[in-house]
Amino acid sequence: MKKVFLILMLLMLPGGSQILATKWVELNPEKVESLSQVIVLGSYNFKSKPKSSKSNFFGSQFHVEKVYKGEASENITAGIDIFDDGWAEEFQQEGGKFLLIIRYLAIENAKSY
């Protein structure tokens, strides 16, 4: 019985597995809108060559169809997570559009976010 207990205890000890977590801050829509500088509706051009990045996000050409807040040209470069482009392209092929809520951060403040 002692051997079974010892084996169970060893299995429950933390191993070399890495655990990652992300914390999201919940904001109401009014707060999101007040913090944004540009809000646009449109679609990604997945045929354009993506701009590389050092993070999981890469810059992709985005066609702006409607501007709700701020100013934006007809085509902008917008970031998309490298792991999201598959479902996003499928979503667009089914007629879906993306609402981008953009807030520019000053370089000196970007590290705190």
Side-chain angles (χ1 to χ4, degrees):
M1 186 64 143
K2 287 183 183 181
K3 287 182 182 180
V4 172
F5 180 74
L6 181 61
I7 291 171
L8 287 174
M9 289 303 293
L10 288 173
L11 290 174
M12 292 174 26
L13 288 174
S17 300
Q18 185 178 20
I19 298 173
L20 303 174
T22 302
K23 182 178 179 180
W24 297 95
V25 177
E26 221 175 283
L27 298 173
N28 64 39
E30 293 80 15
K31 182 69 172 177
V32 172
E33 191 276 332
S34 72
L35 291 172
S36 68
Q37 292 170 307
V38 176
I39 300 177
V40 296
L41 179 73
S43 56
Y44 285 96
N45 178 358
F46 290 105
K47 293 180 178 151
S48 67
K49 183 178 177 186
K51 296 184 179 180
S52 63
S53 172
K54 293 180 183 177
S55 70
N56 284 354
F57 292 90
F58 62 90
S60 184
Q61 189 180 59
F62 187 86
H63 176 72
V64 175
E65 294 176 21
K66 185 167 183 163
V67 178
Y68 292 100
K69 182 178 179 181
E71 295 180 16
S73 60
E74 189 174 334
N75 290 299
I76 62 174
T77 299
I80 187 168
D81 190 306
I82 194 166
F83 300 110
D84 287 342
D85 63 345
W87 72 262
E89 187 170 5
E90 185 178 312
F91 173 73
Q92 279 188 187
Q93 288 172 351
E94 295 172 358
K97 304 284 180 195
F98 287 94
L99 181 70
L100 300 186
I101 302 169
I102 303 167
R103 179 175 183 206
Y104 302 110
L105 300 174
I107 297 298
E108 59 271 7
N109 292 332
K111 292 179 183 175
S112 65
Y113 286 92

